[in-house]
Amino acid sequence: MEKTIKRYFPLFLLPTAIAFLIGFIIPFAYGIFLSFCKFTTVTDWDWVGLQNYTKIFVVNGEVDTTFLHSLWYTALFTLVTVLIINVVSFAIAMALTKGIRGTNFFRNRVLSAEPDRRHRPVVCLADDL
């Protein structure tokens, strides 16, 4: 049985690998290539090298800190949101594993898989408005 799995593993892996190559690797590499080009469409491009990247930092011959400022705020926002989400999630998980009053109510109402009839999704068509 194990010998059969080892023998046919590449055959079963091949469709996933081809889909990953076509759907992710090739577009990613082509996007990196196009970032070094000036283009209007993906078939009409001119190689400009690092000129696109220098435009990020230098505007009209002067150093522009707008990109670095936005990069700093993006990194800070990511760090803060990841920390808050993880701390709150950990606190909820700890509260659910301890014998705190209201834990069963929280599990039944919030973590329930059955939707509440009062909060079911409603489809509203443009003619109904």
Side-chain angles (χ1 to χ4, degrees):
M1 179 72 175
E2 192 171 316
K3 205 177 230 186
T4 306
I5 292 173
K6 286 182 180 180
R7 181 176 175 191
Y8 290 109
F9 179 74
L11 182 66
F12 289 115
L13 184 67
L14 191 63
T16 304
I18 290 172
F20 184 69
L21 183 73
I22 292 172
F24 182 75
I25 299 295
I26 292 173
F28 182 76
Y30 198 59
I32 291 173
F33 167 74
L34 287 177
S35 74
F36 293 101
C37 300
K38 181 177 182 179
F39 63 95
T40 53
T41 62
V42 293
T43 57
D44 180 31
W45 54 268
D46 293 320
W47 182 264
V48 294
L50 293 174
Q51 183 180 358
N52 289 338
Y53 291 99
T54 57
K55 285 181 184 177
I56 294 173
F57 299 107
V58 179
V59 177
N60 296 330
E62 295 180 14
V63 176
D64 187 21
T65 60
T66 306
F67 176 74
L68 292 176
H69 186 70
S70 62
L71 186 66
W72 164 250
Y73 274 114
T74 302
L76 186 65
F77 175 78
T78 303
L79 181 70
V80 169
T81 53
V82 166
L83 285 174
I84 289 173
I85 288 170
N86 283 313
V87 167
V88 169
S89 300
F90 185 73
I92 291 172
M94 286 293 293
L96 289 175
T97 57
K98 301 293 181 187
I100 298 174
R101 185 174 176 214
T103 300
N104 289 333
F105 176 78
F106 182 80
R107 285 180 184 158
N108 288 331
R109 296 303 296 164
V110 177
L111 302 177
S112 174
E114 183 180 336
D116 190 4
R117 288 188 183 134
R118 293 172 291 166
H119 301 291
R120 65 176 177 256
V122 177
V123 177
C124 181
L125 302 175
D127 295 337
D128 295 339
L129 297 176

